[in-house]
């Protein structure tokens, strides 16, 4: 009979939650060391996402799955603390453009450093094949989530039809 490791006894959602903490801890350490200890919860995701991937604040906030009120408060806080700035669109006064400030770019660099540190440690603990398997498994979970969200939207639009 094969021996069961402790990890085999823990459900995958619990492992994912605990594993995510390694990135959160490393990111918080880098942010605090660089003087960005006032970055609010989820702020690193928004600022880092805009800088690293060119995402819009609106799309990144939507990915967080938070209410419009919480999203607005988060953006307001990031603006007030100097990580983001709002500019009225010159062509359409009703549109507001949100951009990252120099302070936000510096905070994003600290976030990247935290992620890179964990990635390097992980690469030292796993073989390239294991690391590729981990990435493939996480990607598959993301695909499952997207299918479930698409189905929920389709179901909602079908039930809304007269």
């Amino acid at each position: 009979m094969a021996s069961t490791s402790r990890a085999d006894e823990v459900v995958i959602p619990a492992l994912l939650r605990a594993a995510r903490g390694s990135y959160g801890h490393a990111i918080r350490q880098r942010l605090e060391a660089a003087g960005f200890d006032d970055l609010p919860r989820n702020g690193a995701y928004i600022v880092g996402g805009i800088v690293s991937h060119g995402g819009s604040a609106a799309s990144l906030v939507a990915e967080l799955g938070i209410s419009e009120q919480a999203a607005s408060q988060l953006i307001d806080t990031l603006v007030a603390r100097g990580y983001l700035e709002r500019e009225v669109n010159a062509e359409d006064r009703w549109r507001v453009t949100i951009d990252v400030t120099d302070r936000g770019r510096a905070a994003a660099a600290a976030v990247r450093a935290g992620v890179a540190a964990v990635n390097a440690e992980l690469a030292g603990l796993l073989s390239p094949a294991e690391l590729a398997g981990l990435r493939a498994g996480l990607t598959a979970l993301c695909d499952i989530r997207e299918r479930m969200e698409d189905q929920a939207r389709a179901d909602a639009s079908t039930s809304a039809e007269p």
Side-chain angles (χ1 to χ4, degrees):
M1 176 183 255
S3 67
T4 303
S5 73
R6 186 177 142 242
D8 291 336
E9 298 171 3
V10 180
V11 296
I12 289 175
L15 288 171
L16 289 170
R17 181 176 174 80
R20 185 174 159 244
S22 61
Y23 284 99
H25 184 70
I27 289 168
R28 278 189 304 280
Q29 278 185 324
R30 296 304 190 293
L31 287 168
E32 288 174 13
F36 303 116
D37 55 343
D38 65 339
L39 193 64
R41 185 171 186 263
N42 294 322
Y45 183 77
I46 300 299
V47 173
I50 293 171
V51 171
S52 299
H53 307 293
S56 72
S59 66
L60 291 165
V61 166
E63 289 175 16
L64 288 173
I66 60 178
S67 70
E68 284 187 38
Q69 180 180 8
S72 179
Q73 290 172 347
L74 175 59
I75 298 299
D76 288 347
T77 300
L78 291 170
V79 169
R81 294 182 184 172
Y83 293 100
L84 299 177
E85 62 186 2
R86 285 189 179 102
E87 294 181 15
V88 175
N89 186 307
E91 296 172 11
D92 180 355
R93 291 187 9 223
W94 296 106
R95 290 188 68 186
V96 174
T97 303
I98 296 174
D99 200 7
V100 180
T101 64
D102 289 341
R103 178 174 168 77
R105 279 187 268 293
V111 170
R112 279 192 307 276
V115 170
V118 173
N119 286 348
E121 189 168 348
L122 187 58
L125 294 171
L126 299 177
S127 71
E130 290 171 325
L131 197 52
L134 175 61
R135 183 172 288 280
L138 293 171
T139 300
L141 286 170
C142 291
D143 292 343
I144 290 168
R145 185 204 71 221
E146 286 177 20
R147 276 197 311 276
M148 293 172 88
E149 288 172 351
D150 289 346
Q151 185 61 52
R153 280 190 291 275
D155 291 348
S157 68
T158 301
S159 65
E161 292 176 3

